[in-house]
Amino acid sequence: MSHANVEVVRSIYELWSRHESARHLIDPQLEYVNPSYAVESGTQRGRSTLGKVREVYPDFRVDPERFLDAGEDVVVIGIARGTSASGVQAQWRQGYVWTIRDGRAVRFRWFNNPDEALEAVGLQE
């Protein structure tokens, strides 16, 4: 089952890279968890929470480097890129943890440090 979970998450990023919807792979009540150091820390619900980053970086995208199988969780390590409304270009490496159930993403957690994402699921580099 976990290989299938990796493929679900990989498909989400592939669709997004083509500017296509991944709605069918993401639960409408997705649990979106911001880390304690985020401007808006805590948990929010709904697929639309994934797009809030576009309020700061309208062209935001993630270029995944690796997908790591952690059972029902999938860790994605990648480079986040975006240009702010003021024109400042930013690029940073992040880690994400997606929880997949019944072929759909039900939880998303992001971390500024990829090691934090790995630790969250008990993996190490």
Side-chain angles (χ1 to χ4, degrees):
M1 183 68 167
S2 57
H3 177 71
N5 291 344
V6 171
E7 290 310 309
V8 168
V9 175
R10 188 183 309 273
S11 293
I12 290 170
Y13 285 94
E14 287 173 0
L15 287 163
W16 285 346
S17 75
R18 297 189 307 258
H19 304 286
E20 295 177 27
S21 174
R23 293 175 64 89
H24 64 288
L25 299 174
I26 302 170
D27 189 273
Q29 291 302 310
L30 175 79
E31 182 181 36
Y32 184 103
V33 182
N34 284 318
S36 60
Y37 49 77
V39 173
E40 293 181 1
S41 64
T43 302
Q44 301 174 35
R45 291 224 175 251
R47 272 191 290 248
S48 63
T49 56
L50 290 166
K52 289 194 177 222
V53 69
R54 293 191 186 284
E55 294 172 8
V56 178
Y57 299 101
D59 63 345
F60 180 82
R61 73 179 194 278
V62 173
D63 297 322
E65 297 173 338
R66 297 185 336 179
F67 296 87
L68 301 162
D69 179 354
E72 101 174 329
D73 292 321
V74 176
V75 177
V76 178
I77 307 297
I79 303 294
R81 303 173 198 279
T83 306
S84 71
S86 64
V88 175
Q89 292 184 357
Q91 172 178 304
W92 61 101
R93 196 162 186 249
Q94 285 191 321
Y96 311 97
V97 177
W98 292 85
T99 303
I100 308 299
R101 289 193 194 114
D102 300 322
R104 295 178 88 175
V106 296
R107 188 174 194 217
F108 173 82
R109 296 178 280 167
W110 68 267
F111 302 89
N112 271 335
N113 182 333
D115 289 338
E116 290 177 296
L118 295 169
E119 290 170 14
V121 297
L123 297 177
Q124 296 179 358
E125 287 233 69

